Amino acid sequence: MEEQLAELAAKVAAMEAKGNMTNTMFAEMYYYITIPLMIIIHAGFLAYEMGASRAKNALSSGVKNILAFAFVIPAFYFFGWWVYWAFPTGFSLSAGPNGISGAEYANSFAWAWGDAAASMGPNIDDQISGVFWGAFTLFAATTASIMSGAVIERIQTVGFVILAIVLGGFSWTLAAAWGWHADGWLVQNWGLHDFGAAGLVHAVAAFFALGVLINLGPRLGKFNADGTANHIPGHNMPFTATGLMLIVVGFWGFLMACLVVGGEAWSWGANYTTIYGTPTNLGALSFNILMGVAGGIIGAWLLTKDPFWMMSGALAGLISVASGLDIYWPSLTFIIAFSAGILLKPAATILENMGIDDAVGAVTVHGTMGIYGLVLLGIFGSGYPALLGEGAPTVSFVGQLVGAVVFIAIGLITGYVTSLILKMLGMLRVPAAAEELGLDTVKVPAQAYPEGIPASAPASR
């Protein structure tokens, strides 16, 4: 009898080990898949911005976008990952209540140098850290792409790369540490909830872009002497609309990566949760992503009938509901997204009337609608637990408002200060003659349409 029991126990232990291995491999594959899905976002931004540029600037806009992607990756490896784990409690670098933050904690595994570097490289004993880092890196790269579209057709390439590194490696990472980490002070003290990162990714990037635009100034010919604005159309609307649709596709990976897979030592429980440990699943996302996209498109279509704003409406709808995507009923999601689609064009016009030349409407789509959705969750999600556990802080209007102000400040201040320094160094804006000639001619050793019309002049160097 004892031998049979021992044999049975051994079989149960073996089955448990296999189950754990299967779960770990699933978690590894889950985050691994989110990475190429999020790269589709960048393919979308690339097409979107190149189409929204005039033909003489098409390739330079694409090159800028590719460089942002390339430079943010090492920036997040060398210091962004460390910032996320070190700063949740503020600037004190102290540990938070969950014991998974602070400088000492970050030094142990998120530092690319010394002993900690063993966790930041090939490590067959750790199947998760690399893919989790990869997903976070793509969040960082997305912020740079959001900023990229706003500044096309007149920014210096090197200046833009420096701005992308600051935004992707520090600004959004600091916001994520404060509002997207279980030890984050905005979560612990104010009950902030921003599941899909409407504020801490989209709004931070958009207001960073706004800070840059203030120093960068409008494109030549955008505004008349009396302050009225001229429309400067891109050269390829079908390309732009396709790019916007690709961004929507990539959003599935972006939002998928916002979930924490259960059943692992680092997870919150046996099932999917948000990054705060509150329950949700992929089914909830499927309902609400589709309803958000549809609501935004319909709202923008009713007001504008313009394909550019219709596809921007898809993004606006999705961003406006991202904060509460895990808890909203789909019908409420649709209504909020629909209202965002309606508000989109008027909000962009207000910004333009203030003398800001946002070439693709990024500040409005990602910033205004991100903040709109973040604050609305304070109304519709009030009282919902912001964290897992007894006595956890709850969502409130005031808490969401505080989060919105902090995210705006992080983006706007870091974007404005960095771009001001670049402006003083002569590294922000291209000379007027280069802008008139077209950036492809002076910056890119290739032509967008060498055999077609219209073709830019050959590169001068």
Side-chain angles (χ1 to χ4, degrees):
M1 184 65 178
E2 290 183 355
E3 291 181 357
Q4 291 174 328
L5 287 175
E7 184 180 353
L8 181 62
K11 288 181 178 178
V12 170
M15 291 176 62
E16 186 178 21
K18 287 183 178 178
N20 290 339
M21 181 185 297
T22 300
N23 194 83
T24 299
M25 291 177 68
F26 169 75
E28 180 184 27
M29 183 58 68
Y30 179 92
Y31 291 111
Y32 193 77
I33 289 173
T34 66
I35 296 170
L37 283 174
M38 281 195 276
I39 290 176
I40 294 176
I41 289 180
H42 296 273
F45 275 119
L46 187 71
Y48 173 48
E49 293 175 25
M50 291 178 72
S53 301
R54 286 166 288 185
K56 64 181 181 178
N57 297 314
L59 280 183
S60 64
S61 296
V63 166
K64 176 173 56 57
N65 210 292
I66 294 169
L67 288 175
F69 180 75
F71 275 92
V72 169
I73 291 172
F76 198 74
Y77 177 81
F78 286 117
F79 59 88
W81 195 224
W82 186 89
V83 169
Y84 177 73
W85 292 103
F87 283 93
T89 56
F91 292 110
S92 67
L93 298 176
S94 60
N98 289 293
I100 51 173
S101 57
E104 185 177 353
Y105 185 81
N107 288 341
S108 67
F109 75 98
W111 193 236
W113 315 97
D115 294 339
S119 300
M120 297 283 283
N123 183 355
I124 60 173
D125 295 325
D126 181 359
Q127 292 176 247
I128 300 302
S129 294
V131 289
F132 208 53
W133 170 84
F136 264 73
T137 303
L138 266 293
F139 290 140
T142 299
T143 62
S145 290
I146 292 170
M147 184 259 295
S148 174
V151 299
I152 57 174
E153 301 196 310
R154 74 278 207 197
I155 196 166
Q156 290 270 14
T157 302
V158 175
F160 170 78
V161 167
I162 293 171
L163 289 165
I165 291 171
V166 173
L167 172 56
F170 181 74
S171 301
W172 103 267
T173 316
L174 187 65
W178 289 356
W180 215 21
H181 189 294
D183 279 346
W185 68 269
L186 284 173
V187 182
Q188 291 284 346
N189 298 344
W190 294 96
L192 179 78
H193 190 85
D194 190 13
F195 163 74
L200 59 88
V201 167
H202 295 282
V204 168
F207 281 94
F208 186 100
L210 179 59
V212 176
L213 289 172
I214 292 171
N215 287 313
L216 183 64
R219 289 168 289 179
L220 295 177
K222 175 63 182 177
F223 294 106
N224 301 310
D226 61 359
T228 55
N230 298 309
H231 177 55
I232 301 178
H235 80 288
N236 193 329
M237 179 67 81
F239 205 36
T240 295
T242 303
L244 285 165
M245 184 58 84
L246 285 173
I247 297 172
V248 172
V249 174
F251 252 110
W252 287 86
F254 182 100
L255 294 166
M256 182 178 167
C258 295
L259 266 65
V260 177
V261 176
E264 294 297 304
W266 42 267
S267 304
W268 292 88
N271 206 341
Y272 293 107
T273 68
T274 68
I275 206 159
Y276 309 108
T278 51
T280 189
N281 56 33
L282 291 171
L285 299 194
S286 298
F287 277 118
N288 283 332
I289 290 173
L290 290 173
M291 293 295 274
V293 168
I297 291 175
I298 294 171
W301 172 70
L302 285 176
L303 190 72
T304 69
K305 305 295 188 295
D306 184 319
F308 175 81
W309 289 108
M310 286 165 58
M311 289 313 305
S312 295
L315 301 184
L318 200 45
I319 293 166
S320 69
V321 298
S323 296
L325 208 63
D326 55 321
I327 58 175
Y328 284 150
W329 291 105
S331 51
L332 178 59
T333 296
F334 181 82
I335 293 170
I336 294 173
F338 176 81
S339 68
I342 291 285
L343 294 171
L344 184 59
K345 181 64 167 59
T349 300
I350 291 173
L351 188 69
E352 188 174 77
N353 290 339
M354 295 169 65
I356 300 295
D357 179 16
D358 177 358
V360 299
V363 174
T364 304
V365 173
H366 298 272
T368 305
M369 294 308 148
I371 293 301
Y372 176 65
L374 188 70
V375 174
L376 279 186
L377 181 64
I379 299 172
F380 296 116
S382 181
Y384 183 81
L387 276 171
L388 180 70
E390 293 290 332
T394 57
V395 176
S396 70
F397 179 76
V398 173
Q400 295 298 108
L401 194 61
V402 169
V405 171
V406 170
F407 293 151
I408 291 171
I410 290 176
L412 190 61
I413 292 172
T414 55
Y416 181 84
V417 171
T418 308
S419 59
L420 180 62
I421 294 172
L422 291 171
K423 183 178 182 179
M424 294 168 65
L425 295 174
M427 297 174 64
L428 186 61
R429 182 156 184 154
V430 298
E435 189 177 338
E436 290 279 11
L437 199 57
L439 302 191
D440 285 7
T441 299
V442 297
K443 295 290 183 182
V444 184
Q447 293 175 288
Y449 308 103
E451 297 177 352
I453 56 171
S456 55
S460 59
R461 57 183 172 81

